[in-house]
Amino acid sequence: MPIQLVTTAAQLRTESARLLTEKRGTSQGLVPTMGALHEGHAQLARTAVAENDVVVASIFVNPLQFGEAVDLDRYPRTLEADLALLEAEGVDLAFAPAVEEVYPGGEPLVRITAGVLADKWEGASRPGHFDGALTVVAKLLHYGLPGLGQGTYRAYFGQKDAQQLTLVQRMVADLNFPVEIVPVPIVRSPDGLALSSRNRFLSAEEREAALVLSRALRLVEERANAHEPLDLDSARALVESQPLVELDYFDVVDPRTLEPLAENCRETPFRGEGLVLIAAKVGPVRLIDNVPLDS
Ligand code: AMP
C-alpha cells in the first residue's frame, strides 16, 4: 500500500483509526525519527511492521533538543527519499508535522525533566538536550496513541542512542505511559561504522579515522566475551592514537543507571552486564557508538 503523509495530529488520529478498522487491527507501532533516513531507521521500521497491524513513522527535527541553531539549520532534510524508504518497508503513515503544529504557542512552558540520568555522557556536553528530546518523545508518543484508544501500542528506538533509550524507558515506566518500548540493535556499515544521519558530513579521510570507535568497542566486547579484564585503557589509547579523532568519553557503565562500573569489574575477568559508551568528534561531526556486554 502506498504510504500516506499526514502533517497534523488530527489527521494522524483519524487516519490511524481508519486503518486499524479497515485492517481489523489490534496493534499500532510508532517509529520516531528526525528524517534523513538510512538503513538503521529502515531496521526500526521493518521491526515495527513485522510486529504491528498499523505503523506510523514520525519525521520531525525537534528544535528543543538542539543546543546550537547552526546544528539545527544544517540538519539534513530529505523528505521525498524518507517517504520512499518508509513505503518500501511497509509503513502505513508518515507523520511530518511543522514546528508550529508541535509547538503552537512557541516553546512549551511545561516540559519533561530528564533528571540525573541525563547529567552524564551526552547530557554533559549537550546541556538541555535530553529534556528537549524527552519532551518531544512524550508528545510523539501521545500523537501516536492508537486512534481507537485500545489495543497494543509499541514504540521503536535504536540502541544507537543508548542513553536516550534508557531515558525513554525510564520516562515510560516512571510516568506510566501506556506503550511498550522496543529496543532495536545498532545497524552498522560492513566496515563497522554505526550508521548515522551525520556520517554524510565526514570526508573520506575522516570516515576512515572514525572506524577506530567501533574497533575500540569491539576490542572490549571480545575481552568481555572471553571473560578477560576489559582493559579500557588500551582500547582508549587506540582511539587516542588516531589524530583526526578527538575523544570525549569512553567508559563501561551499568545499562540501567548509566553509572560507571566499579574498577574491580574492569580489572578482573569480566562477568555480568555492561554497556560500553564512546563519543568523539571526528572533523566537524560528533559521533556516538556503544556495545552492550553480557557475559
Ligand atoms: P534519529 O533520526 O537520529 O533521531 O534516530 C531515530 C531513531 O533511529 C532513534 O531511535 C535512533 O536510535 C535510531 N537509529 C539511528 N541510527 C541507528 C542505527 N545505526 N541503528 C539502529 N538504530 C538507529
Side-chain angles (χ1 to χ4, degrees):
M1 238 192 0
I3 192 164
Q4 203 184 330
L5 173 64
V6 294
T7 56
T8 68
Q11 282 173 335
L12 176 60
R13 205 161 32 243
T14 311
E15 289 310 306
S16 67
R18 186 184 60 73
L19 281 165
L20 274 175
T21 310
E22 208 173 277
K23 296 185 177 196
R24 295 177 190 278
T26 56
S27 56
Q28 186 158 308
L30 174 72
V31 181
T33 82
M34 297 204 299
L37 303 183
H38 50 64
E39 183 52 34
H41 301 105
Q43 183 63 33
L44 263 64
R46 204 170 297 143
T47 311
V49 168
E51 296 179 353
N52 299 279
D53 299 314
V54 171
V55 173
V56 179
S58 62
I59 300 176
F60 180 63
V61 183
N62 175 35
L64 231 52
Q65 72 192 66
F66 283 82
E68 292 171 33
V70 275
D71 200 22
L72 172 65
D73 289 344
R74 70 167 201 170
Y75 200 85
R77 287 158 220 248
T78 59
L79 185 63
E80 288 306 312
D82 294 348
L83 294 176
L85 178 145
L86 295 171
E87 181 169 292
E89 297 303 335
V91 171
D92 301 283
L93 292 168
F95 176 51
V99 172
E100 297 71 35
E101 170 72 19
V102 178
Y103 303 119
E107 290 200 356
L109 295 180
V110 176
R111 314 175 178 211
I112 301 284
T113 302
V116 292
L117 287 177
D119 290 346
K120 285 190 170 37
W121 318 119
E122 282 312 276
S125 53
R126 304 178 70 187
H129 167 72
F130 285 118
D131 290 0
L134 286 189
T135 300
V136 84
V137 168
K139 288 177 70 98
L140 292 169
L141 290 172
H142 289 135
Y143 289 132
L145 266 171
L148 295 178
Q150 59 195 27
T152 307
Y153 181 29
R154 303 185 181 94
Y156 294 77
F157 290 84
Q159 282 170 353
K160 164 85 173 19
D161 299 278
Q163 190 172 9
Q164 169 178 277
L165 173 61
T166 300
L167 279 161
V168 169
Q169 285 169 323
R170 257 337 271 237
M171 175 177 76
V172 162
D174 288 351
L175 303 181
N176 300 83
F177 281 42
V179 60
E180 179 194 333
I181 301 301
V182 184
V184 177
I186 299 180
V187 177
R188 299 174 180 282
S189 60
D191 58 14
L193 185 68
L195 299 189
S196 162
S197 310
R198 293 188 159 95
N199 291 351
R200 69 188 68 198
F201 297 125
L202 296 169
S203 69
E205 203 188 352
E206 287 159 356
R207 195 188 176 289
E208 184 61 33
L211 296 178
V212 79
L213 273 68
S214 54
R215 281 200 198 113
L217 290 174
R218 210 166 46 236
L219 211 61
V220 178
E221 183 185 28
E222 282 165 6
R223 288 180 191 140
N225 289 341
H227 303 295
E228 290 170 7
L230 298 182
D231 191 8
L232 285 185
D233 288 344
S234 74
R236 188 178 288 120
L238 173 73
V239 181
E240 285 172 339
S241 71
Q242 175 48 258
L244 294 180
V245 176
E246 194 187 315
L247 184 62
D248 179 355
Y249 58 78
F250 183 47
D251 216 332
V252 56
V253 303
D254 178 307
R256 276 166 288 272
T257 63
L258 303 180
E259 289 295 331
L261 291 186
E263 287 299 323
N264 60 3
C265 299
R266 310 147 184 240
E267 286 164 6
T268 53
F270 184 81
R271 282 183 200 282
E273 262 188 87
L275 180 65
V276 192
L277 300 174
I278 191 167
K281 210 154 172 222
V282 185
V285 188
R286 184 184 165 81
L287 296 176
I288 58 172
D289 198 350
N290 68 85
V291 69
L293 304 180
D294 189 4
S295 66

